[in-house]
Amino acid sequence: MELFEQIRRDRRDSELSIRELAQRHGVHRRTVRQALASAVPPPRKPYRRRVRPAIDDWAELIDSWLIADQQAPRKQRHTARRVWQRLVAEHGATMSEATVTRYVRRRRAELGLVKMEVTVPQTHLPAAEAEVDFGEVYAVIGGEMTKCWMFVMRLSHSGRGCHVVFGTQAQEAFFEGHVRAFEWFGGVPHRIRYDNLKPAVVRVLRGRDRVESDRFVALRSHYGFDSFFCIPGQKGAHEKGGVEGEIGRFRRRHMVPVPKVASLTELNEKVAAADLLDDTRVIGGRPVTVAAAFAGEQPELLGLPAERFDCARLLYARVDTHARVSVRQNFYSVPARYAGRRLPVRLSAGRVEVLDGSRMVAAHDRAFGRFTEVLTLDHYLEVLVRKPGALPGATALAQAKAAGAFTASHQRYWDSARNLLGDRAGTRALIEVLLAHRSLAPDVLRQALDRSIETGCVDPQLVLIDARRLARTDSTPAVPIGVLTRYDRPVPSLTAYDTLLTGS
């Protein structure tokens, strides 16, 4: 282009001939004529089709295989490697696998066998829409590799997300994720996109019609948003591509390497810190950070209602002979006096609460998996008073030791009591002390246990007297002498009564 410009300039300024221009610029006279005729160089001549002796003899056969594959099951069609293997084994062809791979890739596109899905770019107004989905994540919780489920809600305009990890993707976790996300955003988007999650959809009908669960309708009514359900299956994945990509991005960015935590609560604290860190990132193609975009979007969100939505599910369970209720194939202890009764149970994403009327009689962290026992030693103390021999092998005792509720002080006192009083009496002494935990602070009782071990006096009544004395000393400060003198009153006189007696 620059050469043509210079030739035309020299012709215009110096009025050189075609021969002189060709000599000055070192080009053929034909090129000079082309430059004088047009400022744009003519297109290059196309290259002749190269001969492909290795593949040309087999091109028609390969094409027939690729076309016939359209009638075969999708997972049993020819790959480029399989085409090459058949040519070599069945037809004695001599060519490299790379030659066949290049040909197959090009011919599939030319024959229209590869279909490209075209999507339409979208513009999302502030607070107009959000997307929700669950994704799998793994974490080492308490030293054990555990599969968890991460709830994600992503605002389509700003790209800000809320991530919460649960041990299940059941309905109560689905609702709890919504409540936490709305509180994290400080408002509610006008519409939320979903795939056909079971917690929300009971049955998929024709087109966009769905039979929704009653509790999901209650959640939607409580917060006032609209719902939109994508096309079922892989075809509808692009309809909420923002949250689909967000799950993978967050997992790679904040879950690699696999996090190691003591509990699910600690893991969610790390996830919340990661959400704050993501506010400073800039999404590709956008001029501002996520936090800046959200600052303009937040005022457009719907306001939060005055009351928080109750995400818990109310169930009923019968207490078995082991003083346990079975909830979602896991067992939770209740006080032994409720054995044989049917009690209501509030099941939330992370808690199991057993009720007796309006009074809560047991509360546990929810267990995940199957046939897990979550037992509290205090629920079995009344039974252990009559059966002290059951305490050493009790599952509730093992769990109390693992949780730190049954401390080294308790174990030393138990050993001392059994040495001095015998197994049965020593165990009953320990149980009497454990019963006192219901009314006395654990630290005070541990101090009293340590003092009883030092003095060699393991009588449980003396331990409790010492614990109450320590509790009074800790909670009630000493009153200095003389402070109460302001309440002194003179001794009353009986003179008037004596006068009455003398006068009579």
Side-chain angles (χ1 to χ4, degrees), residues 223-238:
Y223 287 103
F225 64 88
D226 296 326
S227 58
F228 177 89
F229 294 99
C230 301
I231 299 172
Q234 199 172 17
K235 294 181 179 179
H238 68 278

Side-chain angles (χ1 to χ4, degrees), residues 205-264:
L205 303 178
R206 185 183 298 274
R208 301 284 182 179
D209 294 335
R210 304 291 186 270
V211 177
E212 300 169 319
S213 69
D214 292 341
R215 284 180 53 75
F216 175 71
V217 174
L219 173 77
R220 189 176 59 196
S221 174
H222 186 83
Y223 287 103
F225 64 88
D226 296 326
S227 58
F228 177 89
F229 294 99
C230 301
I231 299 172
Q234 199 172 17
K235 294 181 179 179
H238 68 278
E239 294 187 334
K240 56 179 185 61
V243 73
E244 296 279 358
E246 172 64 16
I247 292 173
R249 184 206 66 82
F250 189 91
R251 192 163 45 202
R252 291 186 298 271
R253 175 66 178 83
H254 301 292
M255 297 269 180
V256 177
V258 177
K260 298 179 180 180
V261 294
S263 65
L264 199 60

